[in-house]
Amino acid sequence: MLAEAEPVLRADPVMATLVEKHDPYVEPNWTEYERLCISIINQQLSTASAAAVRGRVFDVLSDDVTPESVLEADDEALRDAGLSRSKVEYIRNAARAFRERDYSRSGLADHTNDEVVDALTEIKGVGEWTARMYLLFVLERPDVLPLGDLAVRRGIEQLYANGDEELTRGEMREIAEAWRPYRSVATRYIWAEYESE
């Protein structure tokens, strides 16, 4: 996808600079369920706080983050690791959903992005932002623009408005039109830039 995306992204001078400057943001090779748990943990936390909580939660689970291990884990241990009562419930809801349904890339291959978002947001605790992270990182759909992500919005503002003014989501979507059909790759470059600040 990267090779196909580069000529499209380079047509945007701002994005061309990022392509020269960074490798796109890439994550470790987490399983589908691990990635969904990570998105739930990350909800409404700063990057640093989320990473710390994730590390402690994964320690509690002995780095064996599966629906079974989460359902068997001690509530208090998960809470002590930094999860709120509601997030413990949310990762357990996700565990039960994963046991009942196939949310893998092959299992969702015939679903449109909107259908995937609808299916995931049926799980209590999984909102649209979390579902879009799943589209981007797990399913690796090429044209996802997750404007629910604060780092993406701040990154676009810094790059396209010099950080001087707030852009509306409509203005951001307009900027991102130039990146179609590779808005996912553009998003990864925006994260790479944002994280290098």
Side-chain angles (χ1 to χ4, degrees):
M1 183 170 32
L2 198 54
E4 297 91 339
E6 241 185 62
V8 173
L9 299 183
R10 283 181 184 277
D12 173 341
V14 173
M15 198 52 67
T17 304
L18 296 190
V19 170
E20 286 298 319
K21 192 172 163 188
H22 299 288
D23 287 326
Y25 174 77
V26 176
E27 290 200 320
N29 197 17
W30 285 309
T31 67
E32 289 98 333
Y33 178 68
E34 279 178 316
R35 188 58 184 84
L36 189 60
C37 284
I38 289 163
S39 288
I40 290 169
I41 291 166
N42 290 355
Q43 289 169 6
Q44 299 170 328
L45 291 178
S46 71
T47 305
S49 297
V53 172
R54 181 184 73 227
R56 292 193 300 268
V57 169
F58 278 36
D59 283 347
V60 166
L61 300 168
S62 305
D63 284 324
D64 177 36
V65 184
T66 63
E68 291 68 32
S69 69
V70 165
L71 290 169
E72 289 165 11
D74 180 67
D75 266 36
E76 207 167 306
L78 292 172
R79 298 277 313 281
D80 288 346
L83 289 184
S84 64
R85 193 178 304 279
S86 57
K87 284 190 181 179
V88 170
E89 181 194 339
Y90 297 162
I91 65 171
R92 291 212 162 120
N93 291 343
R96 285 186 278 272
F98 265 69
R99 284 178 22 167
E100 291 162 13
R101 194 166 167 194
D102 183 0
Y103 291 98
S104 67
R105 192 187 297 191
S106 58
L108 294 170
D110 295 336
H111 292 60
T112 67
N113 288 356
D114 287 342
E115 286 168 346
V116 171
V117 169
D118 288 346
L120 286 169
T121 53
E122 283 173 13
I123 304 167
K124 187 177 179 204
V126 176
E128 189 166 329
W129 174 82
T130 303
R132 294 208 177 278
M133 293 297 105
Y134 198 84
L135 280 171
L136 214 151
F137 289 116
V138 175
L139 305 183
E140 295 183 333
R141 298 287 173 94
D143 199 35
V144 178
L145 181 67
L147 291 180
D149 189 86
L150 183 63
V152 172
R153 293 198 309 276
R154 292 286 176 269
I156 292 172
E157 285 172 350
Q158 284 170 1
L159 291 162
Y160 290 87
N162 300 320
D164 296 335
E165 58 180 286
E166 278 192 27
L167 297 173
T168 66
R169 291 191 190 203
E171 289 168 325
M172 291 180 194
R173 279 190 201 93
E174 214 170 285
I175 289 164
E177 277 302 304
W179 312 333
R180 278 185 186 275
Y182 300 108
R183 292 180 299 174
S184 297
V185 180
T187 295
R188 288 173 181 264
Y189 278 110
I190 290 166
W191 271 319
E193 172 71 7
Y194 188 80
E195 294 204 340
S196 72
E197 294 288 304

